[in-house]
Amino acid sequence: MSNNMEQIVGPRVSGEEFQRNRTRYLLPTILFALAGLLLIISIFLPYWQLTLHAPQYPQGLTVQAYLNRVDGDVGEIDGLNHYIGMRPLDEAAPFERSISIIGVISLSLLILASIFIHSKWVTLLTLPALLFPVIFLVDLQWWLANFGQNLDPAAPLSSSVDPFVPPVLFEGKIAQFRTVAMPSIGLWLAIAASLLILVGLYFHRRAYKPLHDAAEAKA
Amino acid sequence: MTRSKFRIVALLLLLVLALSVFAACGRNRQEDAADTVVGDGNLPAGAMDIAAERGLSPDDINAALKTYVPSGQWDEYLMFASGGHSGNLLVIGLPSMRILKNIAVFTPESWQGYGFGSIESEEILDAGNVNGVEIRMGDSHHPGLSETAGDYDGEFVFINDKSSARVAVIDLRDFETKQIVKDPNIISNHGSTFVTPNTEYVIQGSQYATPLGWEYAPLEEYEEKYRGLATLWSFDREAGRIDMENSFSIELPPYWQDLCDAGKLASDGWFFCNSFNTEMATGGIEDGNPPFEAGVSQRDMDYLHIINWKKAEEVYKAGNTEEINGMPVITLQTAIDEGVLFFAPEPKSPHGVDVTPDGKYMVIAGKLDPQVTIYSIEKIEQAIADQNWEADPFGVPVLNFDAVKMAQLELGLGPLHTQYDADGYAYTSLFLDSAVAKWKLGGDDPEAYELIETVPVQYNVGHLAAAEGDTVSPDGKYLVALNKWAVDRFAPVGPLLPQNEQLIDISGDRMQVIYDMAMGVGEPHYAQIIKQDKIKAWDVYPEVGWDPIAQAPSEFATKAGEERIERNGNEVEVFMTSIRSHLTPEHVEIKQGDHVTWHITNIESAHDATHGFQLGGYNISLSIEPGETASFEFDAVNDGTYAYYCTEFCSALHLEMMGYMLVEP
């Protein structure tokens, strides 16, 4: 049992060795810590933005999706959506939004925990955070499709607008609206966190693989 | 080794940061503006062909270039022009001269839902009724923008109704009339509305003298019983209303007071009014008497009224007033005794008295005298200190003309009204010459006053308005001649012609008329021009369910899902919402004989998503701007089936935005 734990935690670094190669051991720590911090900051920032352009809205209409809410011209967009029978934006992803904050905090904690894990198990711990931006976008695309496909057939314009799938990124077109969907600063931070984790994993391996191999050899 | 690793990591970090910043910035990037086409001072290819084809002179081309405002760009100035006997107030952009809005003030107006059932507007209009007679006409004359330290602050505008002696308050957050007050003692006014430098008071001067309270008195008793009046309406800026409780009037001789202006800076604390019937003529052409036009023009001199309003305020606050029809009035005798009222002779029957930007001089435009006469406040105060006066028949001190006059300058025939620019020049309209005179103010040197040039205008120019031209800091740039006649300027539209408002560029050495605007909706008497960016108008009301009269959330606001019809005996109350593209409820079933009170909340918050409402057969018309809650009431006198609908083409499904009102017999 304790042997298993040791396997997972990986080899410890002696004070002498640490003093000799500070950078080598600090690098993955700093990169993981930074990644965790960026994820925490991203909680307060919008992840995704959709802008609707139409002649009668010269400033455009914009919604920002945060992890747990939507903000911006939600009322106006909901008002327009009722013509095609789309449900109010607030009804989207209730489960995801309810766990999102705790979920992202957990991802950060996993990354921080992985600072203390000096084995290949660290890949498993950081994997959720690494994939988080992709998971976010895939889930969002699923909801966009869900909303676009399930239009109220009794809506005023239901006969002139067929069910559609709004693209989660870049340009789309619905009636007179050109839609532009872009990641927002929060998602960019999450992507940055993923990159930091990737780089961190590389240096993690650089730092601890030799120790691990040495320990194996000794055994 | 570690050092180079560090660099790689640092570089990567920088890249990531740069990416995030780029992404963040990219969101707000605007579409590129179109290229400016004019280069090297040359017009674009084809422009000269257009000019040749249309027969445009170089001056015409200049005028076109100076006044064209491309789509989506805003005018630099807004002009508030009275609508005359259409009883409204017009908002016009400069230099494009486009009408931006026609604000209903004294007369009902169906587009704005003003005076067609809406409880709010009916109450405002009813406050202007005269002794129980419903007054639904108006003769709006002189807009007065609210001022702070003698400069326009863009918060409110006031305007008077000449024919029934009323003053209105318009709030420039939503450009809507909020209040009409009726002076209880006079039936016509003209020297209004002029504000004191911090809008402490909105001044109103009477015009045609009547007994106070316009009670009956034969014309034979003119001298004893007929009187003029100046009312100082106290303005409560916080409430956005004239505070009638703290307002008072000053009794004046029956001299037919004309235009007024408040002093500023050097002359702060004073206001000035012209007069034109010191003859006290009473007309009666049908009885062989001289007609008014001759009778009131007999004397060479009339009296400039010089009124110390700060002194008058002290007298009023000390309670030294007589209450007449509910209004505290400083009697003529008190005004004389307390040093509130003085006269100075002025060439007969002048029109405008206009205080210079520094407040030191008053310019009186002679109308029947080809000169402007310039008075100095310093000289006036000296003459008062020296008691250099004679008394008029009522005992009012008439200051010695030569002691108070600074200069006289001949400009041309029919000088009416004067405005100022930023460089020490004055501009005076010449009614008879149909021209505008530009002349130099000479300060304390009578010889330095000098006529610079005149420019013809078409035709019969009344007032002038220069950009912020009656404030302590005029802008120059633009002058508008408010011409009474257009004659041949526009394509014929029948015997009733539009007026011609001409925009004049005064930025150069030579005045140039650069635009003729047909004013086909009223007769502007005066206008004021304010820098557009001083006005902080709302795009939509601050909250959904807004009461624009209280400028606060409405107690009748209805939220989506809370629409209802309540009945209490034969009292029916409807709580309705409007949003593109439905009114809720869509069925209103009532009984003949019901009294119906009906509230509609526009629950939109999108810019420009106004809904209108008309109920055919019951004379109801509302405009419900985004966020507004409006109410109307009526007696269901007739049974039947009625349609109500949204009158604004608010959406593609606008025609579908309707409902039925069923009135059961």
Side-chain angles (χ1 to χ4, degrees), chain A residues 86-116:
Chain A
M86 189 182 276
R87 284 168 287 158
L89 297 180
D90 216 36
E91 290 179 13
F95 172 71
E96 289 91 323
R97 286 192 283 139
S98 69
I99 61 156
S100 60
I101 303 292
I102 293 188
V104 168
I105 291 173
S106 310
L107 293 184
S108 307
L109 289 177
L110 281 177
I111 303 170
L112 293 179
S114 60
I115 288 173
F116 303 99

Side-chain angles (χ1 to χ4, degrees), chain A residues 23-24 27 31 34 46 49 57 76 80 82-83 156-157 178 183-185 188-189 192 195-196 199 202-203 206, chain B residues 1-2 5-6 8-9 12-13 16 19-21 23-24 27 31 579-582 604-606 609 651-653:
Chain A
T23 322
R24 171 190 292 235
L27 254 181
L31 290 171
L34 254 174
Q49 169 173 290
Y57 294 96
E76 185 64 13
L80 293 167
H82 100 276
Y83 287 118
L157 297 182
R178 184 169 64 87
S184 285
I185 183 78
W188 285 115
L189 289 185
L195 290 174
L196 288 173
V199 178
Y202 169 79
F203 287 109
R206 261 296 173 85
Chain B
M1 179 204 103
T2 50
K5 289 275 158 56
F6 234 137
I8 294 170
V9 174
L12 264 169
L13 272 175
V16 165
L19 264 173
S20 349
V21 170
R27 290 178 310 151
E31 281 169 40
I579 188 168
R580 285 160 290 164
S581 306
H582 49 269
E604 305 262 11
S605 48
S651 65
L653 291 155

Side-chain angles (χ1 to χ4, degrees), chain B residues 32 76-77 85 146 209 237 256 258 310 370 393 485 594:
Chain B
D32 288 340
E76 187 182 0
Y77 287 93
H85 42 292
S146 59
R237 195 185 282 265
W256 291 14
D258 202 38
K310 289 209 168 148
W485 282 17
D594 282 346

Side-chain angles (χ1 to χ4, degrees), chain B residues 126-169:
Chain B
D126 283 344
N129 289 348
V130 175
N131 295 348
V133 175
E134 190 174 85
I135 307 293
R136 289 295 184 270
M137 60 161 195
D139 187 13
S140 61
H141 265 241
H142 309 112
L145 286 156
S146 59
E147 293 180 11
T148 300
D151 209 355
Y152 301 151
D153 55 41
E155 292 188 357
F156 296 92
V157 60
F158 310 94
I159 193 159
N160 67 314
D161 160 40
K162 171 172 163 167
S163 58
S164 297
R166 301 176 298 169
V167 168
V169 180

